[in-house]
Amino acid sequence: MRIGIDFGTSYSAAGAVIDGQLELVRFGDAQQFRTTAYFPQALPDASRFELTPALEAEVDALVRASRAEQARVAARARERAEASAGPAIPFVARSEAQLRRDALLLVRRHWLEAEMTRARQSVAELQNAVYGDAAIEAYLAEGDGHLVVSPKSMLGYKLHGAARDVLVGIALHILEHIRVTASEQFGVPVREAVLGRPVEFRSSMGAAGGEQAIELLTEAARGAGFDRVTFLEEPAAAAFGYHRELRSTQRTLVVDIGGGTTDIAAADVGGEADAPRVHGAWGIAQGGTDVDLALSMRRFMPLFGKDHTRTPVHHYYEAAAVHDLQRQQAFRARVGFGDVPSPFGERLITLQEPGNTVRLQRDVEDAKIALSTQPQHEALLDYIEPGLRAACVGEDLTRGADAYLRAFSALLVDVRSRLDRLPDTVFLTGGMSRGPYIRRVVADVFPEAEAVHGNASLGVVSGLAAAAGGGDR
Ligand SMILES: Nc1ncnc2c1ncn2[C@@H]1O[C@H](COP(=O)(O)OP(=O)(O)OP(=O)(O)O)[C@@H](O)[C@H]1O
Ligand SMILES: [Mg+2]
């Protein structure tokens, strides 16, 4: 049996068409789950280094050995000088503090190497992972281990060392979770899938990043027990879903704005044809998480001293970018926030504690969503400091979203100039399409088209399910 899978940056979902009816896979009570995974074991994180009594003893032993070695070299240099037996050996004694610092660095390096070995072994233990909102809850409750938020947004990035295997492992287990859940629900083994893909993956390597992402997803799907996978562009998939709902034919422009990417397709939908005719697809690798980041930098990070202290701004980016493992590690490992003036230094140090950047990111996203329907919103950041509040108004969001909205508008203008025929409708889907500011930009660029609001969460998965067709039970 074949199913459609929307492996989204923020949420994942799956479904099939059974006896002509669309059936979505249920994950507990929900039709989608957050694309987030929690691993009880910690991956190596240099900031976790602690000088335990055992390591302290190692440092002392190394200092003693270096001191003895230094004394031997000094004695030899003195003997040679006294005996005038050849050229004098220049000898500069290292201070006790220097010897200790060197020893500490060595012990720390050995510790990190051991941690790396442990992490490599833990790749094989990914099945202990927890997914979805439960992942975030488990991480916050245990305050240990590792949380991977939005693995899809990393598929197109340069991956070093064990990172590639870890990422494939995460995608594999998410896809396996979907396959097993679907097989149980439909009562037959699910062995094939149509996977959604953005037109442009988020990438640090241009087009090569997109190719890598497809390669990693294919590998993960195979490992998850799918014998065959095909890919369909997400906006083309949404066109499939819309097509099934329409009796008469129309030209539509699908606009799918998710957490990581913005995707557009022009298609003829509706009528008797089995499938829509897709005329073109375009996209940019920006979406809701970019708006979250901008809102965080504008309204939340100033509470931690951004714009009020000399703390370099990249530390605030590191703290806000919860989907970027390396940036998060860099933020947590940073020492020296104690020098930042009060109360910002204390707040930054609290923000470094496990789970707090994720809590903050949730509050930022909630603020963005709340500001879609109300003029103001207040987030209570009690976990940072009792009574600390971030007050946001609509203008913070529109200004924060400004860079994204300009890129989105430019994309729409470019697409409009490429169309041989203007669309009758613009079909909006993806979580971000709920934002009124998004609808305004669409209406500005396509004033003559009627806006159709599809199911923002399930437009793409419905289309993928329709495209997958279900096959034989
Ligand atoms: N009411 C709302 N107003 C603004 N944004 C919203 C609203 N509801 C959800 N979002 C945002 O929509 C995004 C998630 O949308 P969606 O579930 O379509 O993404 P995805 O499919 O996981 O990502 P992608 O398609 O980019 O891989 C998140 O950034 C979320 O904050
Ligand atoms: Mg999506």
Side-chain angles (χ1 to χ4, degrees), residues 6-11 32 152 234 256-261 288-289 292 365 368-369 372 430-432 434-435 437 456:
D6 180 10
F7 180 62
T9 308
S10 306
Y11 290 94
Q32 56 176 11
K152 182 184 184 181
E234 287 157 11
D256 166 25
I257 311 183
T261 57
T289 48
D292 296 344
E365 188 178 358
K368 175 189 72 175
I369 292 174
S372 284
M432 272 295 285
R434 295 191 183 100
Y437 39 96

Side-chain angles (χ1 to χ4, degrees), residues 56-79:
E56 181 85 58
E58 266 183 55
V59 172
D60 287 344
L62 279 168
V63 171
R64 272 197 307 278
S66 307
R67 205 189 290 133
E69 174 64 14
Q70 182 161 284
R72 266 198 304 279
V73 174
R76 219 170 31 245
R78 248 192 334 271
E79 278 165 21

Side-chain angles (χ1 to χ4, degrees), residues 431-450:
M432 272 295 285
S433 71
R434 295 191 183 100
Y437 39 96
I438 297 288
R439 298 170 181 199
R440 277 199 291 278
V441 172
V442 172
D444 279 351
V445 182
F446 289 97
E448 57 288 277
E450 181 197 343

